[in-house]
Amino acid sequence: MIKASIIGGTGYAGQELLRILYRHPEVEVVSVGSKSFVGQPLKDIYRNYNKITDAVCEASDIQELAEKSDVIFLALPHGIASKQVTPEILSQAKIIDLGADYRLKDVDIYEDWYGVEHHSADLLKEAVYGLCELHREDIKKARLLANPGCYTTCSILSLAPLLAGGWVDPASIIVDAKSGTTGAGRSSSTAFSYCEVNESIKAYKVASHRHTPEIEQELGLLGNTDLKLTFTPHLVPMNRGILALCYATLAKEATEEELRQVYRDFYKDEYFVRLTEDVMPETKWVKGSNYCDIGLTLDQRTNRVIVIGAIDNLMKGAAGQAVQNMNLMFGLDEKTGIDFITDFPV
C-alpha cells in the first residue's frame, strides 16, 4: 500500500483528494493536515466522511510526514511549499504540489506574477510539470511533481494538438474561460458569497491572472516559440467546472475534418481526453470525473479555429489529476481510483 499524507486537507481540493484516496485500492491515508482545524475530526468538518474515517486533523510537520509517508500531497496556497520542500524531504518521500510553486521553470516569472519570493529555486529544474498527457514518461521518474492549475489544464489540453503541429499562429491565441466558484477556494470573501455570485457572471483578473504564464510556458514548449496569449477568466454561479473557449487563426490551410483528425491522432491513446466530435462540451458531462472533453469547429469566414474544453476544476483540474500523477509515479495504471463516471443530474 502507498502511504499518503495531505497537508491542506480541508480546502476544497484537499477534501476532494481525500474523497478519492479513501476509495483508492492501493492507498492508505496516514495523515490529514489542516492549520485551521487542528484536533478536529474530519467528519465534523465535512459530514460526507461520517462512518468513512475517524481521522483527526493534525498540525503537519513535513519532516515527520516524510518519515512515515511514501507520498505527500501539498494542497496549499502559493509561497508555502517552496519554504518546506528540500532535497532531504525528497530523499524520503515523493511530493505532489497542488499549488503553483513548482509549475514555472523561470523563478523571475514566478516571483513577478505571484508577488512572493521563491525559497527553493534550485528545485525548479527537477520539478516535473504534471500534465500526464504531455509529460507521462518524466512523471514516472519524478520525485517532485507540480500539479497543473485548473484553467491551465483545460486550456493547454484544448490547444496542444494545434501548437504541436504548427496549425495556428501563436500570436493570435485568445482563451476565454469560465469557472465555478470552488476554483477560488474555500473562502469567506464577500465576492464569493451566494448573493454576490448568484444571477451574475463577471470577468476577473483581466490581463493579470496568474495561470497565464503557465499556459504560455507549456504551449510555447509544444510550439517551440516564445508565446504570448490573451487569457480572460470569468466567475459563473455554479459550484464546479471549467469551460474554456479558445480562439486561434490558422497558420496553414485545413478543413474542419482535417483538424478533427489532428486531435484524434494526438489523443488516440489518452483515456481521460474525450473528443466530442459533433457536439460541443458542457461542464455537466464532466463534473465529478477526471475527463477533459474537447470539441472544435472551424470558422471559415474568419479563418479561425474555435476549440472548447470542459473539465471539473476539482478533479482533472486538481485532485483527480494529482492522483493520476501519483499512479504514474508509483507504477500503477493511471486510471486506478479515478475511473469515475460523471454524476448526473447534480
Side-chain angles (χ1 to χ4, degrees), residues 9-10 12 15 18-19 22 37 40-55 57 186:
T10 53
Y12 286 139
Q15 76 84 28
L18 285 166
R19 185 177 72 89
Y22 277 123
F37 297 98
Q40 296 188 40
L42 179 65
K43 63 185 179 183
D44 289 353
I45 303 164
Y46 288 105
R47 298 290 178 174
N48 51 327
Y49 292 101
N50 189 29
K51 292 191 175 181
I52 304 298
T53 177
D54 292 321
C57 296
R186 196 169 185 236

mmCIF file of all heavy atoms in Angstrom, residues 9-10 12 15 18-19 22 37 40-55 57 186:
data_model
loop_
_atom_site.group_PDB
_atom_site.id
_atom_site.type_symbol
_atom_site.label_atom_id
_atom_site.label_comp_id
_atom_site.label_asym_id
_atom_site.label_seq_id
_atom_site.Cartn_x
_atom_site.Cartn_y
_atom_site.Cartn_z
ATOM 1 N N GLY A 9 -5.629 19.508 3.956
ATOM 2 C CA GLY A 9 -6.662 18.540 3.596
ATOM 3 C C GLY A 9 -8.083 19.030 3.741
ATOM 4 O O GLY A 9 -9.008 18.292 3.380
ATOM 5 N N THR A 10 -8.309 20.247 4.247
ATOM 6 C CA THR A 10 -9.686 20.693 4.452
ATOM 7 C C THR A 10 -10.128 21.797 3.497
ATOM 8 O O THR A 10 -11.229 22.323 3.633
ATOM 9 C CB THR A 10 -9.894 21.169 5.911
ATOM 10 O OG1 THR A 10 -8.901 22.153 6.231
ATOM 11 C CG2 THR A 10 -9.770 19.992 6.867
ATOM 12 N N TYR A 12 -11.135 22.834 -0.512
ATOM 13 C CA TYR A 12 -11.962 22.098 -1.464
ATOM 14 C C TYR A 12 -11.146 21.056 -2.230
ATOM 15 O O TYR A 12 -11.560 19.909 -2.389
ATOM 16 C CB TYR A 12 -12.628 23.057 -2.454
ATOM 17 C CG TYR A 12 -13.772 23.849 -1.868
ATOM 18 C CD1 TYR A 12 -13.938 25.203 -2.173
ATOM 19 C CD2 TYR A 12 -14.693 23.256 -1.021
ATOM 20 C CE1 TYR A 12 -14.985 25.934 -1.634
ATOM 21 C CE2 TYR A 12 -15.743 23.980 -0.483
ATOM 22 C CZ TYR A 12 -15.881 25.322 -0.792
ATOM 23 O OH TYR A 12 -16.929 26.032 -0.259
ATOM 24 N N GLN A 15 -10.044 18.158 0.306
ATOM 25 C CA GLN A 15 -11.062 17.178 0.674
ATOM 26 C C GLN A 15 -11.476 16.336 -0.525
ATOM 27 O O GLN A 15 -11.818 15.165 -0.371
ATOM 28 C CB GLN A 15 -12.272 17.856 1.328
ATOM 29 C CG GLN A 15 -13.226 18.585 0.416
ATOM 30 C CD GLN A 15 -14.265 17.672 -0.219
ATOM 31 O OE1 GLN A 15 -14.629 16.646 0.329
ATOM 32 N NE2 GLN A 15 -14.724 18.055 -1.414
ATOM 33 N N LEU A 18 -8.931 13.679 -0.605
ATOM 34 C CA LEU A 18 -9.228 12.667 0.403
ATOM 35 C C LEU A 18 -10.364 11.754 -0.035
ATOM 36 O O LEU A 18 -10.322 10.533 0.180
ATOM 37 C CB LEU A 18 -9.583 13.343 1.727
ATOM 38 C CG LEU A 18 -8.414 13.926 2.510
ATOM 39 C CD1 LEU A 18 -8.918 14.847 3.617
ATOM 40 C CD2 LEU A 18 -7.559 12.809 3.093
ATOM 41 N N ARG A 19 -11.381 12.331 -0.644
ATOM 42 C CA ARG A 19 -12.518 11.527 -1.115
ATOM 43 C C ARG A 19 -12.048 10.438 -2.078
ATOM 44 O O ARG A 19 -12.535 9.299 -2.044
ATOM 45 C CB ARG A 19 -13.547 12.436 -1.803
ATOM 46 C CG ARG A 19 -14.824 11.732 -2.217
ATOM 47 C CD ARG A 19 -15.810 12.715 -2.833
ATOM 48 N NE ARG A 19 -15.386 13.144 -4.153
ATOM 49 C CZ ARG A 19 -15.708 12.511 -5.279
ATOM 50 N NH1 ARG A 19 -16.430 11.405 -5.241
ATOM 51 N NH2 ARG A 19 -15.316 12.980 -6.439
ATOM 52 N N TYR A 22 -9.427 7.781 -0.060
ATOM 53 C CA TYR A 22 -10.063 6.823 0.842
ATOM 54 C C TYR A 22 -10.711 5.661 0.086
ATOM 55 O O TYR A 22 -10.978 4.614 0.676
ATOM 56 C CB TYR A 22 -11.092 7.532 1.732
ATOM 57 C CG TYR A 22 -10.480 8.188 2.945
ATOM 58 C CD1 TYR A 22 -10.648 9.548 3.188
ATOM 59 C CD2 TYR A 22 -9.719 7.450 3.851
ATOM 60 C CE1 TYR A 22 -10.074 10.156 4.298
ATOM 61 C CE2 TYR A 22 -9.146 8.052 4.962
ATOM 62 C CZ TYR A 22 -9.323 9.406 5.181
ATOM 63 O OH TYR A 22 -8.743 10.003 6.282
ATOM 64 N N PHE A 37 -7.976 23.575 11.425
ATOM 65 C CA PHE A 37 -8.865 22.668 12.160
ATOM 66 C C PHE A 37 -8.094 21.627 12.973
ATOM 67 O O PHE A 37 -8.530 20.484 13.107
ATOM 68 C CB PHE A 37 -9.808 21.963 11.187
ATOM 69 C CG PHE A 37 -10.730 22.890 10.451
ATOM 70 C CD1 PHE A 37 -10.426 23.318 9.166
ATOM 71 C CD2 PHE A 37 -11.895 23.352 11.038
ATOM 72 C CE1 PHE A 37 -11.277 24.170 8.477
ATOM 73 C CE2 PHE A 37 -12.755 24.205 10.363
ATOM 74 C CZ PHE A 37 -12.440 24.626 9.082
ATOM 75 N N GLN A 40 -9.577 18.589 15.246
ATOM 76 C CA GLN A 40 -10.974 18.313 14.923
ATOM 77 C C GLN A 40 -11.089 17.107 13.995
ATOM 78 O O GLN A 40 -10.321 16.981 13.039
ATOM 79 C CB GLN A 40 -11.623 19.526 14.256
ATOM 80 C CG GLN A 40 -11.710 20.746 15.162
ATOM 81 C CD GLN A 40 -12.534 21.854 14.532
ATOM 82 O OE1 GLN A 40 -13.566 21.592 13.910
ATOM 83 N NE2 GLN A 40 -12.096 23.093 14.688
ATOM 84 N N PRO A 41 -12.062 16.222 14.244
ATOM 85 C CA PRO A 41 -12.287 15.097 13.333
ATOM 86 C C PRO A 41 -12.705 15.596 11.948
ATOM 87 O O PRO A 41 -13.501 16.532 11.833
ATOM 88 C CB PRO A 41 -13.417 14.318 14.010
ATOM 89 C CG PRO A 41 -13.367 14.726 15.451
ATOM 90 C CD PRO A 41 -12.932 16.167 15.429
ATOM 91 N N LEU A 42 -12.158 14.967 10.935
ATOM 92 C CA LEU A 42 -12.509 15.351 9.574
ATOM 93 C C LEU A 42 -14.009 15.249 9.341
ATOM 94 O O LEU A 42 -14.608 16.092 8.665
ATOM 95 C CB LEU A 42 -11.747 14.464 8.581
ATOM 96 C CG LEU A 42 -12.002 14.710 7.091
ATOM 97 C CD1 LEU A 42 -11.509 16.094 6.681
ATOM 98 C CD2 LEU A 42 -11.325 13.626 6.246
ATOM 99 N N LYS A 43 -14.648 14.240 9.926
ATOM 100 C CA LYS A 43 -16.082 14.023 9.702
ATOM 101 C C LYS A 43 -16.940 15.125 10.329
ATOM 102 O O LYS A 43 -18.118 15.258 9.985
ATOM 103 C CB LYS A 43 -16.497 12.653 10.246
ATOM 104 C CG LYS A 43 -16.337 12.486 11.741
ATOM 105 C CD LYS A 43 -16.653 11.057 12.165
ATOM 106 C CE LYS A 43 -16.469 10.872 13.668
ATOM 107 N NZ LYS A 43 -16.717 9.460 14.070
ATOM 108 N N ASP A 44 -16.379 15.903 11.261
ATOM 109 C CA ASP A 44 -17.115 17.036 11.820
ATOM 110 C C ASP A 44 -17.025 18.266 10.932
ATOM 111 O O ASP A 44 -17.844 19.186 11.047
ATOM 112 C CB ASP A 44 -16.585 17.383 13.213
ATOM 113 C CG ASP A 44 -16.968 16.340 14.257
ATOM 114 O OD1 ASP A 44 -17.743 15.424 13.924
ATOM 115 O OD2 ASP A 44 -16.464 16.440 15.394
ATOM 116 N N ILE A 45 -16.020 18.310 10.067
ATOM 117 C CA ILE A 45 -15.840 19.438 9.144
ATOM 118 C C ILE A 45 -16.590 19.182 7.849
ATOM 119 O O ILE A 45 -17.312 20.039 7.342
ATOM 120 C CB ILE A 45 -14.341 19.656 8.861
ATOM 121 C CG1 ILE A 45 -13.583 19.874 10.173
ATOM 122 C CG2 ILE A 45 -14.136 20.853 7.925
ATOM 123 C CD1 ILE A 45 -12.088 19.707 10.046
ATOM 124 N N TYR A 46 -16.416 17.972 7.328
ATOM 125 C CA TYR A 46 -17.139 17.536 6.135
ATOM 126 C C TYR A 46 -17.937 16.293 6.505
ATOM 127 O O TYR A 46 -17.376 15.207 6.704
ATOM 128 C CB TYR A 46 -16.157 17.205 5.001
ATOM 129 C CG TYR A 46 -15.497 18.403 4.379
ATOM 130 C CD1 TYR A 46 -14.167 18.718 4.665
ATOM 131 C CD2 TYR A 46 -16.186 19.218 3.477
ATOM 132 C CE1 TYR A 46 -13.553 19.815 4.089
ATOM 133 C CE2 TYR A 46 -15.582 20.315 2.898
ATOM 134 C CZ TYR A 46 -14.265 20.619 3.208
ATOM 135 O OH TYR A 46 -13.657 21.703 2.625
ATOM 136 N N ARG A 47 -19.264 16.443 6.617
ATOM 137 C CA ARG A 47 -20.115 15.362 7.094
ATOM 138 C C ARG A 47 -20.178 14.174 6.136
ATOM 139 O O ARG A 47 -20.649 13.095 6.508
ATOM 140 C CB ARG A 47 -21.524 15.892 7.345
ATOM 141 C CG ARG A 47 -21.604 16.964 8.416
ATOM 142 C CD ARG A 47 -21.343 16.412 9.809
ATOM 143 N NE ARG A 47 -21.382 17.451 10.835
ATOM 144 C CZ ARG A 47 -21.291 17.214 12.135
ATOM 145 N NH1 ARG A 47 -21.131 15.977 12.570
ATOM 146 N NH2 ARG A 47 -21.310 18.211 12.991
ATOM 147 N N ASN A 48 -19.705 14.353 4.915
ATOM 148 C CA ASN A 48 -19.704 13.228 3.981
ATOM 149 C C ASN A 48 -18.704 12.145 4.372
ATOM 150 O O ASN A 48 -18.726 11.045 3.817
ATOM 151 C CB ASN A 48 -19.443 13.701 2.544
ATOM 152 C CG ASN A 48 -18.223 14.590 2.415
ATOM 153 O OD1 ASN A 48 -17.898 15.354 3.315
ATOM 154 N ND2 ASN A 48 -17.541 14.516 1.283
ATOM 155 N N TYR A 49 -17.823 12.443 5.348
ATOM 156 C CA TYR A 49 -16.862 11.441 5.812
ATOM 157 C C TYR A 49 -17.352 10.684 7.046
ATOM 158 O O TYR A 49 -16.622 9.867 7.601
ATOM 159 C CB TYR A 49 -15.512 12.095 6.105
ATOM 160 C CG TYR A 49 -14.835 12.580 4.852
ATOM 161 C CD1 TYR A 49 -14.856 13.929 4.496
ATOM 162 C CD2 TYR A 49 -14.202 11.694 3.988
ATOM 163 C CE1 TYR A 49 -14.266 14.371 3.326
ATOM 164 C CE2 TYR A 49 -13.611 12.121 2.823
ATOM 165 C CZ TYR A 49 -13.647 13.466 2.499
ATOM 166 O OH TYR A 49 -13.071 13.900 1.333
ATOM 167 N N ASN A 50 -18.591 10.943 7.479
ATOM 168 C CA ASN A 50 -19.155 10.228 8.611
ATOM 169 C C ASN A 50 -19.241 8.738 8.290
ATOM 170 O O ASN A 50 -19.743 8.328 7.236
ATOM 171 C CB ASN A 50 -20.550 10.782 8.930
ATOM 172 C CG ASN A 50 -21.099 10.234 10.224
ATOM 173 O OD1 ASN A 50 -20.345 9.904 11.146
ATOM 174 N ND2 ASN A 50 -22.422 10.124 10.310
ATOM 175 N N LYS A 51 -18.713 7.913 9.180
ATOM 176 C CA LYS A 51 -18.621 6.459 9.035
ATOM 177 C C LYS A 51 -17.645 6.020 7.943
ATOM 178 O O LYS A 51 -17.555 4.845 7.633
ATOM 179 C CB LYS A 51 -19.996 5.827 8.778
ATOM 180 C CG LYS A 51 -20.934 5.909 9.980
ATOM 181 C CD LYS A 51 -22.162 5.041 9.782
ATOM 182 C CE LYS A 51 -23.005 5.059 11.058
ATOM 183 N NZ LYS A 51 -24.211 4.183 10.914
ATOM 184 N N ILE A 52 -16.918 6.990 7.375
ATOM 185 C CA ILE A 52 -15.877 6.673 6.388
ATOM 186 C C ILE A 52 -14.517 6.640 7.054
ATOM 187 O O ILE A 52 -13.713 5.744 6.818
ATOM 188 C CB ILE A 52 -15.878 7.696 5.234
ATOM 189 C CG1 ILE A 52 -17.256 7.768 4.571
ATOM 190 C CG2 ILE A 52 -14.790 7.368 4.217
ATOM 191 C CD1 ILE A 52 -17.706 6.467 3.934
ATOM 192 N N THR A 53 -14.261 7.634 7.913
ATOM 193 C CA THR A 53 -12.959 7.714 8.584
ATOM 194 C C THR A 53 -13.100 8.433 9.921
ATOM 195 O O THR A 53 -13.961 9.304 10.090
ATOM 196 C CB THR A 53 -11.929 8.466 7.714
ATOM 197 O OG1 THR A 53 -10.694 8.573 8.428
ATOM 198 C CG2 THR A 53 -12.416 9.860 7.353
ATOM 199 N N ASP A 54 -12.251 8.052 10.862
ATOM 200 C CA ASP A 54 -12.169 8.738 12.145
ATOM 201 C C ASP A 54 -10.941 9.645 12.213
ATOM 202 O O ASP A 54 -10.510 10.049 13.305
ATOM 203 C CB ASP A 54 -12.107 7.711 13.289
ATOM 204 C CG ASP A 54 -13.410 6.938 13.435
ATOM 205 O OD1 ASP A 54 -14.480 7.552 13.279
ATOM 206 O OD2 ASP A 54 -13.354 5.726 13.708
ATOM 207 N N ALA A 55 -10.372 9.978 11.061
ATOM 208 C CA ALA A 55 -9.161 10.798 11.012
ATOM 209 C C ALA A 55 -9.381 12.135 11.706
ATOM 210 O O ALA A 55 -10.436 12.766 11.572
ATOM 211 C CB ALA A 55 -8.746 11.030 9.569
ATOM 212 N N CYS A 57 -7.702 15.984 12.180
ATOM 213 C CA CYS A 57 -6.788 16.918 11.509
ATOM 214 C C CYS A 57 -5.602 17.243 12.408
ATOM 215 O O CYS A 57 -5.762 17.473 13.617
ATOM 216 C CB CYS A 57 -7.527 18.206 11.142
ATOM 217 S SG CYS A 57 -8.857 17.953 9.945
ATOM 218 N N ARG A 186 -11.915 27.669 -0.577
ATOM 219 C CA ARG A 186 -12.952 27.696 0.466
ATOM 220 C C ARG A 186 -12.829 28.992 1.256
ATOM 221 O O ARG A 186 -12.374 29.033 2.388
ATOM 222 C CB ARG A 186 -12.802 26.476 1.383
ATOM 223 C CG ARG A 186 -14.009 26.182 2.247
ATOM 224 C CD ARG A 186 -13.858 24.825 2.910
ATOM 225 N NE ARG A 186 -15.074 24.481 3.641
ATOM 226 C CZ ARG A 186 -15.111 24.175 4.936
ATOM 227 N NH1 ARG A 186 -14.002 24.156 5.637
ATOM 228 N NH2 ARG A 186 -16.253 23.860 5.510
#
